[in-house]
Amino acid sequence: LRIGTMLVSDAVTRALGELPPDAPFRDRLGAAVAAHLDHLLSLTDYTSANIRIIGHVPAEVRERVWPQREAYGEVWADLLRQGRASGAVRADADLGLLRVLILGTLNYASEWYKPDLKPVSAIATEATAMILDGVLSVHRQPA
């Protein structure tokens, strides 16, 4: 469990660190989404195993690994706070809810993803666009 959390956290932190400090929020979120999904779906089974079994391990085991999971959640919370500070994220958005919705959605990909579906990078790009832009076309007339 610790390895799974550490590996994905390190991958996301590294991806964010490789961007210039003034990178737009869209690029920062996209890098985090891509690193999380790439790690979850392509690079190792530790992270997907962590996601699948955390609710089934004894409470004392969960308690021992929870601080590390919270630290990874804080990486995302900080990213979203940066997005709000830059004006990219609405001032009235609940950042805690946004964080768990993003991570929950990304993590669930381990249940449905098949390598022949789309490349992970394409899924990450589309997921980032859906998170930031939604899916409604305001200019499209109803059929």
Side-chain angles (χ1 to χ4, degrees), residues 61-138:
V61 172
R62 265 194 316 278
E63 289 171 14
R64 285 198 317 257
V65 299
W66 205 253
Q68 190 175 17
R69 291 173 65 96
E70 284 183 328
Y72 180 52
E74 189 57 32
V75 170
W76 284 87
D78 187 50
L79 174 62
L80 296 174
R81 284 190 295 269
Q82 291 170 17
R84 174 172 283 159
S86 74
V89 175
R90 287 189 346 243
D92 66 334
D94 180 331
L95 297 184
L97 180 58
L98 179 58
R99 179 180 54 84
V100 296
L101 287 171
I102 290 171
L103 287 173
T105 299
L106 297 178
N107 288 342
Y108 193 68
S110 66
E111 296 294 327
W112 57 260
Y113 175 74
K114 303 284 184 266
D116 59 342
L117 179 66
K118 276 186 178 185
V120 174
S121 60
I123 293 171
T125 298
E126 196 162 336
T128 300
M130 288 178 177
I131 291 165
L132 294 175
D133 304 325
V135 296
L136 294 179
S137 174
V138 295

Side-chain angles (χ1 to χ4, degrees), residues 31-53:
V33 167
H36 185 98
L37 282 177
D38 194 40
H39 197 78
L40 176 66
L41 302 176
S42 301
L43 299 177
T44 180
D45 291 333
Y46 281 107
T47 302
S48 61
N50 179 331
I51 291 163
R52 288 184 173 146
I53 68 169

